[in-house]
Amino acid sequence: MKFLKYLLALTLMVGASAAQADNWPSKPIRWIVPYTAGGGTDLMARVLAAHLEKKLGQRIVVENRPGGSTVTGTAVLAQAEPDGYTIGMVFDSLAINAVLGTQTPYDPEKDFAPIINLAYVPLIFIVNTKEVPMKTLPEVVAYAKAHPEWLTFGTLGPGSPHEIGFDWFKSMAGIKAVVVPYKGVNPAMQDTIAGQIKAMFLGVAVADQYIAEGKLRPLAVTSAKRLESAPDVPTIAELGYPDYNYVTFYGLAAPKNTPQPIIERLNKEINEAFKDPDVRKKLEPIGAILVGGTSKEFGDYLAANMIKFRKIMKPTAQAN
């Protein structure tokens, strides 16, 4: 009897979920961005939200919820009703916070339904042109090995992609450096331009202007392949570190148990958006590599990313 009641309840639940998906969307949708307005993540959300509004016939309200190394906004996403009316961006911080042991009001591996991998964002190893006369990364590595306190490197602090990516490279290259944490990309970049620090990892789109002006010199990119926007800049991998491949990612997710038909509809519409020349043009300033693909592929990527960060952040995690 209990089993029959269970089957009936399960059938009603599935039926309600299907009906919910059939009527979706019937009201505005929240798009949570766990960063402040004005950055690359915010721009991507607003460009795609505008596209989705036309396709879905409902407003997409971008809601910026910064704080706590993305924990604040990500918690809002995880704790929302799984009805398709709250979606949000997720990043490397899902894995980073987990590996660092950061206490979060959600399980980074279980509390989200992956929708789509939006983009990869490679970083570029840049140096001040006056303070660093070397023209190649191998030359910098050789000099840094001979002069352990010479290389000063700006990051956005422990747990930031900039610091993790550099720590990984530093361990591979066998060099020492003075790591200088900053509260934001702009102050770190300005100090690099001024020569207060010698180097940092920077987003390609942000660095372009200063490279063109001769204030910064690009030595290598962190992605596995050279970038179309910087074809003359080698990858770190091809300069003697074949296992090095480090990019941050922008992804889109929903609370767990969001009906799969809703997930698939959002996935389909965003994949189509990435084919739209107007959308691609509006996203160019971010300097990102658009990805797309299926929701399952993004779920697999998130799982693999967790494993990768546990590997490359092991020394950092142990230190904390």
Side-chain angles (χ1 to χ4, degrees):
M1 192 64 165
K2 288 183 179 179
F3 182 68
L4 289 175
K5 287 182 178 179
Y6 170 77
L7 284 179
L8 178 61
L10 185 61
T11 302
L12 290 172
M13 187 185 303
V14 172
S17 179
Q20 183 184 53
D22 287 342
N23 296 326
W24 181 90
S26 59
K27 62 181 182 180
I29 299 167
R30 285 196 304 171
W31 181 315
I32 305 295
V33 177
Y35 286 109
T36 56
T41 54
D42 185 64
L43 173 61
M44 175 163 280
R46 293 180 189 279
V47 169
L48 292 178
H51 179 89
L52 285 176
E53 285 182 340
K54 298 174 185 176
K55 298 297 182 179
L56 301 178
Q58 287 290 344
R59 285 189 62 211
I60 312 291
V61 181
V62 175
E63 191 174 307
N64 298 93
R65 291 292 192 97
S69 297
T70 75
V71 171
T72 301
T74 307
V76 172
L77 173 64
Q79 295 163 3
E81 288 295 320
D83 54 9
Y85 292 100
T86 302
I87 58 178
M89 294 178 81
V90 292
F91 308 90
D92 296 279
S93 53
L94 279 181
I96 292 168
N97 288 328
V99 175
L100 289 177
T102 303
Q103 294 298 311
T104 61
Y106 53 81
D107 186 321
E109 297 181 87
K110 297 179 180 179
D111 287 348
F112 302 95
I115 297 173
I116 191 168
N117 195 344
L118 297 172
Y120 295 138
V121 184
L123 300 172
I124 192 163
F125 194 129
I126 54 93
V127 295
N128 176 283
T129 51
K130 292 182 179 179
E131 294 295 321
V132 182
M134 302 84 181
K135 299 295 192 296
T136 70
L137 187 59
E139 289 175 319
V140 168
V141 168
Y143 195 83
K145 284 182 176 180
H147 305 81
E149 300 299 316
W150 168 77
L151 182 60
T152 49
F153 198 93
T155 76
L156 272 63
S160 69
H162 305 71
E163 184 153 328
I164 293 165
F166 179 64
D167 280 345
W168 192 23
F169 169 73
K170 184 160 57 79
S171 66
M172 281 187 174
I175 60 173
K176 294 183 179 180
V178 178
V179 175
V180 184
Y182 287 83
K183 291 184 178 180
V185 170
N186 192 59
M189 178 181 67
Q190 293 304 324
D191 271 7
T192 309
I193 292 169
Q196 299 300 316
I197 55 174
K198 295 181 176 69
M200 69 176 293
F201 278 167
L202 199 58
V204 178
V206 179
D208 278 348
Q209 174 189 341
Y210 302 100
I211 292 171
E213 292 173 356
K215 296 176 180 178
L216 298 175
R217 179 183 300 117
L219 298 183
V221 293
T222 63
S223 51
K225 297 180 179 179
R226 293 195 184 198
L227 306 179
E228 291 182 8
S229 58
D232 297 330
V233 181
T235 66
I236 289 177
E238 69 185 87
L239 293 175
Y241 311 95
D243 293 332
Y244 192 92
N245 174 18
Y246 187 84
V247 293
T248 60
F249 76 88
Y250 298 171
L252 188 66
K256 68 176 180 180
N257 298 325
T258 298
Q260 192 61 26
I262 293 175
I263 298 292
E264 296 307 323
R265 176 72 189 281
L266 287 165
N267 178 277
K268 173 181 174 294
E269 296 298 351
I270 293 176
N271 271 310
E272 289 298 317
F274 285 163
K275 298 175 185 176
D276 186 321
D278 184 53
V279 169
R280 296 182 71 88
K281 184 173 180 60
K282 289 177 180 176
L283 292 176
E284 280 180 3
I286 300 173
I289 301 169
L290 302 182
V291 181
T294 68
S295 59
K296 181 183 182 304
E297 286 170 339
F298 184 38
D300 291 343
Y301 176 81
L302 288 174
N305 203 54
M306 187 70 72
I307 294 170
K308 175 180 178 177
F309 272 94
R310 283 178 178 142
K311 176 184 177 183
I312 68 176
M313 288 180 64
K314 190 175 181 180
T316 303
Q318 289 175 341
N320 285 278

